Amino acid sequence: MSSNAIAHFKAGHAWRGDGWQADAVLGVDAGGRLQAALEPGGATLGRWVLPGMPNLHSHAFQRAMAGLAERKGRADDSFWSWRETMYAFAATIGPDELKAIAAQLYVEMLKAGYTSVCEFHYLHHQPDGTPYASPEAMSLALIEAAREAGIGLTLLPVLYMSGGFDGRALSARQRRFGHVVDAWLRLLETLRRQQGDEVCVGLALHSLRAVPESALREVLAAEPAATGPIHIHIAEQVGEVQDCVATRGARPVEWLFAHAAVDARWCLVHATHLTAAETAQLARSGAVAGLCPTTEANLGDGLFPLADYLDAGGALGIGSDSHISISPVEELRWLEYGQRLATRHRNIAARHEGDSVGETLWRAALHGGALASGRPVGELRNGARADLIVLDEDSPLLAAREARSVLDSFLFAGNTPLVRDVMVGGRWQVRDFRHRDEERIAARYRGVVSRLR
């Protein structure tokens, strides 16, 4: 294809955000961007074509420990006891292991319908805290894995400085996460040389407990708004909220808004425990609530105030976080089901009579995920990345479905995989349910986890 050539594709129905467009024609240029179609012909994609879903929160290495923390431990099993298991597992991971695990994870994401991922990356150094000869070695392993699998990547190198709100030093198991601000800023500068259509580099502050106030001020002064998205874990656990109140005199979200100009550049991951005032303030700011319902359920975090947040016009997206599930369907399904269990009512996300829960959630997660990614994704529009998924129109789950019920059926009709084909940046990565390189990537992954065991 020449540099200005456009490939044309036909779709029986293409999701345009506000609904399905019948008999759509999509143009894809040589750079992998969607463009206005110049002619009506072209290859047929399928009957149901959707924008691929951005995954806004991932810790790739945790994919290999999924299922290994489900035996009863001490009486007060919680996030904090799970974290000790995670620290022990993290100590076994180096660059080669991380690349193998991440590539397998990214293949699984693509097959599930995620076409881009935000990697919240804090596994920087060797297990004893000594930097690698190339300080960016672990970050480059993630970039290489994303390119190998063919998924879009927003890399978020994490600043992690202290072990608690009281400023305590990092524990032995946390030392490989740690940076001083200057070294971390140098890491960002190095990694930004990797940026392009496939890779965006933003930044992440691990949490308020891990980033002192002085460091927050220094980072925000050093990082102009043009340098990409900012992500932060916040208000995930009740204990975290209590510690923040005790040491900083305010709840985490309340404190952050008082000390930073939070706007649409920000993604507040989890934000589970909010007051009504914090919920409204987060919604007004334009920042994205980064929700990870399967991980939040697995860790016993709690439930996000979804109805109030949607009523306030808040932006949200979804992530698979610890990867005990890798499915946008399951994340969105359990986002809704958690609310139903808490309220004992149905169709919570649909705020107006006649609204579709599936359409409401898919639309919201596409929009918030694109904001959090800092990349032109999540829409089938001119200039956006040609990231799309094609549903299996022959599946019994979609039999006799009209356009108005397709997304509800996709999310709520069962667990049979419905993502047949996946395109990222104009290139097919999954065809007929199979990733183009899944056998080799899976074989390498099996070898790595066998050695880690």
Side-chain angles (χ1 to χ4, degrees):
M1 190 187 303
S2 67
S3 60
N4 59 354
I6 296 178
H8 295 83
F9 299 93
K10 297 181 292 185
H13 296 80
W15 178 257
R16 296 293 195 178
D18 56 353
W20 293 97
Q21 178 187 348
D23 300 320
V25 180
L26 304 175
V28 180
D29 68 20
R33 299 291 182 104
L34 293 167
Q35 301 294 345
L38 303 178
E39 56 190 61
T44 299
L45 294 172
R47 187 177 182 190
W48 308 111
V49 180
L50 291 158
M53 181 61 65
N55 184 329
L56 59 61
H57 194 61
S58 168
H59 304 297
F61 75 94
Q62 292 178 19
R63 177 67 186 105
M65 65 168 281
L68 298 182
E70 306 303 324
R71 290 185 177 271
K72 184 70 174 177
R74 62 195 193 194
D76 61 341
D77 254 352
S78 67
F79 166 83
W80 307 103
S81 54
W82 171 88
R83 190 176 71 162
E84 292 304 312
T85 302
M86 182 271 289
Y87 284 170
F89 186 81
T92 68
I93 307 295
D96 290 343
E97 291 79 13
L98 182 59
K99 179 180 176 180
I101 293 168
Q104 174 63 26
L105 168 68
Y106 297 157
V107 167
E108 294 174 20
M109 285 186 185
L110 286 164
K111 293 177 70 174
Y114 290 118
T115 50
S116 62
V117 59
C118 298
E119 192 61 50
F120 196 102
H121 169 55
Y122 55 80
L123 207 60
H124 296 299
H125 309 307
Q126 298 181 65
D128 65 357
T130 304
Y132 288 97
S134 296
E136 67 275 17
M138 295 291 273
S139 297
L140 291 179
L142 291 167
I143 292 173
E144 291 166 5
R147 287 173 172 160
E148 186 175 36
I151 199 167
L153 176 68
T154 297
L155 183 63
L156 303 163
V158 173
L159 179 62
Y160 200 127
M161 300 180 68
S162 61
F165 283 101
D166 57 5
R168 75 190 74 162
L170 298 178
S171 69
R173 287 181 170 181
Q174 294 171 324
R175 286 175 191 152
R176 71 179 311 190
F177 313 155
H179 270 112
V180 296
V181 172
D182 287 347
W184 177 74
L185 290 173
R186 288 196 298 273
L187 175 66
L188 290 180
E189 183 179 359
T190 299
L191 292 173
R192 283 175 178 146
R193 299 170 193 156
Q194 300 287 329
Q195 290 196 123
D197 283 345
E198 300 170 334
V199 178
C200 169
V201 178
L203 60 95
L205 309 169
H206 180 270
S207 56
L208 294 182
R209 68 177 183 271
V211 178
E213 180 181 350
S214 59
L216 175 68
R217 289 198 304 269
E218 186 175 355
V219 166
L220 296 182
E223 286 293 310
T227 53
I230 301 174
H231 289 223
I232 185 171
H233 289 136
I234 202 158
E236 179 180 4
Q237 290 287 323
V238 171
E240 173 192 356
V241 175
Q242 293 170 339
D243 288 347
C244 189
V245 171
T247 58
R248 299 196 182 182
R251 299 168 58 86
V253 171
E254 177 188 15
W255 189 94
L256 181 65
F257 274 88
H259 292 82
V262 178
D263 56 20
R265 185 186 173 198
W266 287 72
C267 177
L268 276 58
V269 181
H270 304 304
T272 304
H273 300 286
L274 302 179
T275 64
E278 289 172 320
T279 301
Q281 187 171 31
L282 176 55
R284 286 195 305 271
S285 73
V288 178
L291 308 180
C292 309
T294 61
T295 292
E296 290 153 6
N298 184 267
L299 298 178
D301 289 346
L303 292 172
F304 180 81
L306 180 65
D308 290 345
Y309 188 69
L310 290 176
D311 287 345
L316 64 84
I318 54 168
S320 56
D321 195 351
S322 67
H323 314 303
I324 49 91
S325 173
I326 305 168
S327 166
V329 167
E330 193 166 13
E331 297 300 336
L332 293 174
R333 181 185 296 171
W334 281 102
L335 177 57
E336 170 70 18
Y337 282 176
Q339 305 298 314
R340 295 186 188 190
L341 289 168
T343 64
R344 299 188 295 280
H345 288 83
R346 300 187 69 251
N347 299 330
I348 305 302
R351 304 307 296 156
H352 302 97
E353 184 174 349
D355 285 354
S356 155
V357 173
E359 292 184 1
T360 298
L361 290 176
W362 194 266
R363 180 187 301 114
L366 287 174
H367 174 67
L371 287 176
S373 299
R375 307 175 72 244
V377 296
E379 296 180 87
L380 300 182
R381 61 164 177 81
N382 293 349
R385 289 270 293 172
D387 291 3
L388 57 86
I389 65 175
V390 183
L391 301 186
D392 179 19
E393 61 199 61
D394 297 322
S395 171
L397 300 188
L398 296 182
R401 293 297 190 264
E402 298 178 353
R404 69 189 304 269
S405 59
V406 166
L407 270 166
D408 289 325
S409 298
F410 181 30
L411 297 188
F412 296 104
N415 293 316
T416 301
L418 290 179
V419 177
R420 187 188 71 196
D421 305 314
V422 179
M423 177 186 287
V424 181
R427 298 181 179 181
W428 291 113
Q429 303 298 341
V430 175
R431 294 289 264 170
D432 294 323
F433 300 100
R434 297 194 66 81
H435 183 272
R436 55 177 172 72
D437 199 17
E438 67 177 77
E439 289 85 0
R440 182 188 65 82
I441 289 172
R444 183 181 60 190
Y445 172 81
R446 286 192 293 270
V448 164
V449 294
S450 295
R451 291 196 300 275
L452 292 178
R453 184 184 64 182

